[in-house]
Amino acid sequence: MTLNDILKFVFPSRCIMCDEVLPYGNKLSNEYLCDECRKKLEYIRKPTCKKCGAMVGDESDTYCVRCKIDMHDNFISGFGLLRYNDFVKESLHRIKYAKRKEYIYFYGKMIAKMYRERFKKIAPDCFIPVPISKERLRIRNFNQASVLAYTISDELKRYGIDIPVNENIIYRTKNTEVLNKLDNNDRKGELHDAFYVNPSEDIEKVILIDDIYTTGATIDTISGVLKEAGIKDIYFTVITVVDNL
């Protein structure tokens, strides 16, 4: 028995969806998910919105309902791993508020695996994690977007794709309210002047990394600040995208 085996036996992994302890050894069919919860994941599949990557009802729908109503102009497009449902919601909540940072590794590895060809085609100069405020970082001890970005970057190297993470380009200058409690206009107001950019002449194309895409207000606001600083092409990827289906 290796040291890693001993550690897994003493400190067993928990399912990223239900948080129950996973069985050890041959009974464990997945390192991160119990067999029951694996069935509850809804991976995003085509057809999808050409802007935000949300699933749409028909191939003829170029854009989802949300993007038809409020089309963000500052980023080109984005894509996510999972549809947003109650199971994913609870998983993300535990990441942020119960400090289950280890959950992120599964999501990052799956994003890299599912979208490796798209990452290769876009060929960004770097990944940029959406920053959190100093206050939230002090409470949480980690930025979930940063952990996700590094996990994706590390996993892509297994496929021969080298995209570094850059956390020195954009900073959050104020601790905004929890945005999911605000309507779209209030979100935009709350995000005004919330970010500062440290310009870099070497960076022209980036992919923003975050955990969830709801209305796009945060991604679009950051993209606007980055464009003003001279970055031309901006994409995003997330764990989950809220859709209208």
Side-chain angles (χ1 to χ4, degrees), residues 96-97 99 131-144 172 174-179 190:
K96 293 180 180 179
Y97 304 109
K99 300 183 179 181
I132 60 175
S133 66
K134 292 180 179 179
E135 290 84 352
R136 287 211 178 104
L137 184 60
R138 186 163 51 247
I139 294 169
R140 200 172 295 164
N141 293 323
F142 65 90
N143 174 5
Q144 70 278 0
R172 205 171 197 119
K174 68 177 183 180
N175 188 19
T176 55
E177 290 186 40
V178 178
L179 298 180
E190 186 67 16

Side-chain angles (χ1 to χ4, degrees), residues 38 44 67 88 97 150 182 208 219 225-226:
R38 191 167 64 253
I44 289 177
C67 288
V88 175
Y97 304 109
Y150 281 105
L182 306 176
L208 296 173
I219 294 292
V225 176
L226 291 174

Side-chain angles (χ1 to χ4, degrees), residues 25-112:
N26 294 332
K27 293 181 180 179
L28 181 59
S29 59
N30 189 289
E31 188 178 353
Y32 299 94
L33 288 162
C34 68
D35 291 341
E36 191 62 32
C37 285
R38 191 167 64 253
K39 304 171 187 175
K40 298 172 183 176
L41 292 180
E42 297 182 83
Y43 290 99
I44 289 177
R45 62 184 187 278
K46 295 181 179 180
T48 57
C49 174
K50 298 298 187 284
K51 187 69 175 181
C52 74
M55 286 176 59
V56 294
D58 191 89
E59 288 281 1
S60 63
D61 293 328
T62 304
Y63 301 107
C64 66
V65 173
R66 174 182 53 221
C67 288
K68 288 177 181 177
I69 295 172
D70 187 14
M71 180 70 72
H72 295 301
D73 298 323
N74 291 318
F75 62 86
I76 295 173
S77 64
F79 46 96
L81 178 69
L82 301 169
R83 290 187 69 198
Y84 186 73
N85 60 25
D86 289 341
F87 304 106
V88 175
K89 177 183 178 180
E90 184 59 30
S91 180
L92 295 185
H93 187 272
R94 284 196 295 269
I95 288 173
K96 293 180 180 179
Y97 304 109
K99 300 183 179 181
R100 295 292 193 191
K101 183 171 73 171
E102 67 273 15
Y103 289 7
I104 305 172
Y105 304 138
F106 167 79
Y107 294 126
K109 289 178 179 180
M110 291 306 298
I111 288 172

Side-chain angles (χ1 to χ4, degrees), residues 228-241:
E228 289 178 0
I231 295 178
K232 299 176 181 178
D233 299 328
I234 302 158
Y235 300 82
F236 76 85
T237 191
V238 292
I239 293 172
T240 183
V241 181

